[in-house]
Amino acid sequence: MADTILVTGGAGYIGSHIVVELAQAGYAPVVLDNFANSSPAVLPRLEALAGRRVPCIEGDVRDVAALRRVFHDHAIAAVIHCAGLKAVGESGERPLAYYDVNVAGSLALAEAMGEAGVTTLVFSSSATVYGQPERLPVAEDAPVAPNSVYGRTKLVVEDFLRDLAPAGPNWRIAILRYFNPAGAHPSGTIGEAPLGRPNNLVPLLCRIAGGEFAELSIFGRDWPTPDGTGVRDYLHVQDLAEGHIAAMKYLARTPGVATFNLGVGRGFSVLEVVAAFERACGRTIPRQFAPRRAGDIACVYADPARANASFGWRAARGLDSICADAWRWQAGGGKY
Ligand code: NAD
Ligand code: UD1
């Protein structure tokens, strides 16, 4: 029988792609989500792509009783923990909410997992824990210095997971530090569906090309980068989803806790992304230069060698495919 995998936040952007990938790899995904930043309308699309029923429990990851019921009702083999709040700006305005959902939610989950004897966990962390790295590409042993409440909540969870693993012989935990996930499923039926004006570059380009917003403000033209705009490591969400399956298989043969960068290993500037997106959609993106965004950094890209050496993962898709798939999703409506 297929192993059952719980995906918290499985109705969200990244979780939904992981759910489909799990089903395609022969697992039985189960979703827990409170729809704080997603819609139940994604579920039939997930089932269509997965080719199987995907049970979804509407519940809060902070609710230990709800979690106990999930572990009681389903024979969960492992958990992929994507549920959380992720808006950097909002995290400064609502720090308690971010600590509550991201930190207390992860604690409640770990507690319920321990009780149920489910000890394999893949955690969604972020490259934001590095802040602006001193050396590039950035490897997992680089100093951490998150410059937002959001980033600090991720680091607190990472730290407690690193403390948890040695306390029990059975814990198997992979902490995955995502760089900049972008793009959509190639079917165009699931993708990123932010409410309001998106903060992140690729979903914003989708909405501008789709006519919803007039122009892109490029945050800074005087960064110490080749063309003066910010440089990031954009990672196709499908590559990211595949990374979770590979990490989970690695945990089946490796106890303890380990941290992995998931990134492509090279950076693109804002102007390069805009040019790639224009090629993908065949439209011009109106843009203007604007002041730097608070909390932004100049340049970051991953050294993804550890994930490759440990579980053979490497990003297979490039920026053009990110833009083409994001645009296909947008052209089909880009919403649930
Ligand atoms: P998302 O908001 O689309 O997905 C998160 C999901 O968690 C949503 O479906 C939301 O409804 C759910 N959720 C929120 N609070 C919950 C709660 N208390 N109980 C149950 N469910 C809850 O975000 P995403 O982009 O898919 O991100 C998934 C994870 O990856 C997050 O932990 C995020 O911090 C992390 N991450 C994302 C990025 C990125 O750029 N998208 C980068 C690095 C790390
Ligand atoms: C943002 C978060 C980061 C998080 C990451 C996840 C902030 C300050 N940081 O980072 O913590 O881990 O998302 O993907 O929000 N840009 C513009 N104009 C825009 C939007 C973006 O010029 O309207 C530029 C940014 O300055 C940056 C690049 O595009 O250089 C990418 O921005 P974004 O998609 O928001 O990602 P990050 O800045 O890496």
Side-chain angles (χ1 to χ4, degrees):
M1 223 181 65
D3 273 351
T4 302
I5 312 296
L6 175 63
V7 185
T8 73
Y13 169 46
I14 294 166
S16 59
H17 289 79
I18 293 172
V19 164
V20 172
E21 215 45 46
L22 280 168
Q24 257 147 30
Y27 295 94
V30 170
V31 169
L32 174 85
D33 204 300
N34 69 353
F35 303 116
N37 194 37
S38 53
S39 159
V42 71
L43 297 168
R45 300 187 189 195
L46 288 186
E47 294 190 328
L49 289 172
R52 63 179 303 147
R53 206 176 83 75
V54 178
C56 177
I57 299 106
E58 182 169 356
D60 196 303
V61 77
R62 293 165 292 182
D63 181 350
V64 183
L67 292 169
R68 286 191 184 118
R69 277 196 300 279
V70 175
F71 288 109
H72 176 268
D73 294 348
H74 301 269
I76 307 288
V79 178
I80 299 179
H81 179 34
C82 298
L85 302 179
K86 62 161 184 177
V88 171
E90 184 193 51
S91 75
E93 291 150 23
R94 303 177 59 218
L96 285 178
Y98 274 68
Y99 277 91
D100 189 21
V101 173
N102 292 359
V103 178
S106 300
L107 282 168
L109 177 65
E111 184 174 331
M113 287 178 68
E115 279 176 20
V118 178
T119 51
T120 299
L121 173 66
V122 178
F123 173 61
S124 300
S125 189
S126 169
T128 202
V129 297
Y130 296 116
Q132 174 63 70
E134 283 159 26
R135 258 186 249 134
L136 291 167
V138 59
E140 292 84 351
D141 57 3
V144 285
N147 51 10
S148 68
V149 171
Y150 165 67
R152 285 188 286 278
T153 65
K154 288 290 175 190
L155 196 53
V156 172
V157 177
E158 286 199 3
D159 283 339
F160 97 67
L161 292 176
R162 277 187 281 265
D163 285 338
L164 179 64
N170 296 323
W171 282 104
R172 293 161 186 266
I173 301 173
I175 295 167
L176 304 184
R177 291 178 176 160
Y178 312 161
F179 280 68
N180 286 63
H185 191 272
S187 65
T189 61
I190 61 170
E192 193 167 7
L195 302 168
R197 187 180 169 96
N199 296 315
N200 295 120
L201 181 59
V202 174
L204 186 54
L205 290 172
C206 285
R207 300 287 174 89
I208 293 169
E212 203 173 312
F213 297 105
E215 66 177 6
L216 175 71
S217 293
I218 299 178
F219 297 141
R221 64 190 308 181
D222 57 353
W223 293 102
T225 60
D227 67 18
T229 66
V231 169
R232 298 290 185 276
D233 184 331
Y234 296 92
L235 171 68
H236 198 298
V237 66
Q238 287 292 111
D239 282 322
L240 182 60
E242 289 168 14
H244 287 72
I245 317 282
M248 216 174 58
K249 289 183 171 164
Y250 159 87
L251 292 178
R253 48 180 197 274
T254 325
V257 57
T259 307
F260 299 98
N261 285 338
L262 293 187
V264 171
R266 75 154 282 194
F268 288 94
S269 72
V270 177
L271 291 175
E272 287 175 308
V273 177
V274 172
F277 200 88
E278 288 182 332
R279 286 195 298 277
C281 69
R283 299 179 185 185
T284 302
I285 301 289
R287 87 285 306 259
Q288 57 160 11
F289 286 100
R292 292 179 178 191
R293 177 172 63 178
D296 260 0
I297 57 173
C299 181
V300 64
Y301 52 93
D303 175 354
R306 186 186 284 176
N308 186 251
S310 303
F311 45 84
W313 179 84
R314 173 178 286 140
R317 300 157 181 88
L319 183 59
D320 287 334
S321 127
I322 289 175
C323 293
D325 290 333
W327 176 241
R328 189 175 304 109
W329 158 245
Q330 174 65 35
K335 288 191 172 79
Y336 292 107

